[in-house]
Amino acid sequence: MTGIPGGHVVLTQVEDGVATVTLNRPQVINALSAEMVRIITDALLAWMRDPRVACVVLRGRGRGFCAGGDLQAGDVDADDFLRTEYALDALIAEYPKPVIALMHGLVLGGGVGLSGHAAVRVVTDSTRLGMPETRIGLCPDAGGSRLLGRAPGAVGVMKAMASATMSASEAIAFGFADVFVADLDALLVALGAGVREGRDPWTVIRDSGLVREPDPVSSPPWVEDVCGGGDAVEIVRRMEAGTPDAQELAARIREMSPFAVAVTVPLVRRAATLTLRETLQREYAVLSGLSARADTAEGIRARLVDRDVPRWLPARLEDVVPAEVDALLDSSRRPLDFHTITPPKETAR
């Protein structure tokens, strides 16, 4: 067993051909810091041509895989963090060896970026996955807008607007995960044994006897008609005129940042036809613009620090200026410096 130096916030080791990255900040549900991004990136680059490594496992200690980016790390340059985080997300998606993400407990925001583009995405009974950015004045990022945009029908738009979480079965049905496994420790044992015998990691997982059928999943019948077209104002008004559960969801969306919700709807729809790299580039530009608005600082203060009701600007969806939304969606930032160790390619996802 060998490890790559990197401090205590991320643990790395190689054993039986399996390289493991363990996020190790359980006290904050492994919220992703700049140091963690650097350590994970360095480990993946080191293992890329390491003949001992057949596959990579991403996992987290404690009650969740990763609760997203560490939004309260005030000493970190936000622009630099986004650029390095998104480069890591692309590296995971394009990695030449299978990357297996074990998505237990909370998997939110940047945690979806780490896991949602992996070759094999494993969920379990405890998985609660989501992109909660509209709660704090931001939009789905780390490639999350593309995953949401490619979900069946209009369910991704609905989930994104409301910052709603998904169960393990929903994550599989909506394209965020691949297999349901109840016992991750047993899966790791089987994976190590199978890889040691020279077997393909995906075949080992599939034939382990540990994979369970997910529960049947269906969206409310009104979702496609209500969320399938129109802007955020139209969608929410249709919800408010609809069934009790639609009205309840509309009330929840009204609690989110109106401007962030208005931007999220077209962002998710457009991302459905983009490559991951194109998605990350657009998210980078949009998120940079949103971060400069008052709502982001207010959302972090209210949701994460003072735990009170945010005072959004503007306060209502109806007061969002469409031209400002369009300008933000069409904005550009300097190109992201993606790792070029493997040629750009479109993954099967």
Side-chain angles (χ1 to χ4, degrees):
M1 179 188 305
T2 58
I4 291 176
H8 65 282
V9 295
V10 176
L11 307 176
T12 64
Q13 70 176 46
V14 178
E15 186 174 18
D16 294 331
V18 179
T20 303
V21 171
T22 303
L23 310 185
N24 192 36
R25 297 181 74 202
Q27 70 278 12
V28 289
I29 318 180
N30 300 313
L32 198 61
S33 67
E35 181 185 11
M36 294 168 74
V37 169
R38 176 186 59 78
I39 295 168
I40 299 168
T41 300
D42 289 347
L44 290 177
L45 293 175
W47 290 331
M48 184 172 292
R49 295 177 178 87
D50 188 334
R52 300 170 304 152
V53 175
C55 65
V56 176
V57 169
L58 303 178
R59 66 182 314 192
R61 279 194 61 213
R63 58 195 178 97
F65 172 71
C66 177
D70 188 349
L71 298 175
Q72 299 188 65
D75 59 342
V76 174
D77 183 279
D79 186 75
D80 285 346
F81 178 77
L82 286 181
R83 294 176 72 84
T84 55
E85 180 194 12
Y86 289 6
L88 174 57
D89 297 334
L91 176 60
I92 290 170
E94 299 172 0
Y95 204 64
K97 300 177 181 182
V99 178
I100 301 155
L102 307 185
M103 305 159 69
H104 84 286
L106 284 179
V107 186
L108 304 175
V112 174
L114 287 181
S115 58
H117 315 302
V120 183
R121 303 163 299 173
V122 182
V123 287
T124 188
D125 296 287
S126 65
T127 301
R128 293 294 178 270
L129 181 149
M131 304 298 297
E133 286 78 9
T134 58
R135 295 184 70 251
I136 55 170
L138 294 174
C139 63
D141 75 320
S145 66
R146 182 173 182 264
L147 292 169
L148 289 160
R150 290 160 65 97
V155 68
V157 170
M158 177 192 73
K159 293 284 188 181
M161 292 175 71
S163 284
T165 58
M166 308 176 198
S167 66
S169 296
E170 288 178 315
I172 292 173
F174 300 154
F176 283 75
D178 301 301
V179 292
F180 190 119
V181 174
D183 191 336
L184 296 182
D185 290 330
L187 181 67
L188 285 174
V189 172
L191 186 63
V195 170
R196 190 167 58 245
E197 296 169 358
R199 299 170 62 203
D200 172 70
W202 173 243
T203 302
V204 172
I205 293 171
R206 187 190 60 205
D207 297 342
S208 66
L210 298 167
V211 175
R212 289 172 38 185
E213 284 296 316
D215 296 330
V217 169
S218 61
S219 300
W222 50 265
V223 169
E224 192 61 32
D225 289 339
V226 169
C227 303
D231 61 16
V233 173
E234 294 174 77
I235 291 171
V236 170
R237 285 178 174 169
R238 289 182 200 136
M239 289 181 182
E240 290 171 335
T243 63
D245 59 328
Q247 293 170 6
E248 182 179 348
L249 189 63
R252 175 173 177 169
I253 293 171
R254 291 281 189 188
E255 296 174 356
M256 309 299 160
S257 161
F259 192 82
V261 169
V263 169
T264 290
V265 171
L267 178 73
V268 167
R269 287 177 178 156
R270 295 183 188 184
T273 59
L274 301 179
T275 67
L276 178 59
R277 288 193 178 200
E278 290 169 340
T279 299
L280 291 168
Q281 183 69 59
R282 174 165 287 172
E283 289 173 345
Y284 168 62
V286 172
L287 208 73
S288 297
L290 285 174
S291 298
R293 296 178 64 94
D295 271 9
T296 298
E298 173 63 9
I300 293 172
R301 178 206 65 77
R303 303 293 196 188
L304 304 180
V305 180
D306 297 333
R307 309 287 179 174
D308 60 15
V309 179
R311 296 181 291 274
W312 303 121
L313 291 174
R316 302 187 316 143
L317 267 172
E318 287 79 1
D319 297 329
V320 173
V321 179
E324 292 183 9
V325 173
D326 293 339
L328 183 58
L329 288 166
D330 293 334
S331 63
S332 62
R333 300 277 287 177
R334 70 186 191 275
L336 291 172
D337 182 23
F338 292 116
H339 296 286
T340 56
I341 39 179
T342 56
K345 64 181 181 181
E346 184 64 8
T347 64
R349 308 216 192 287

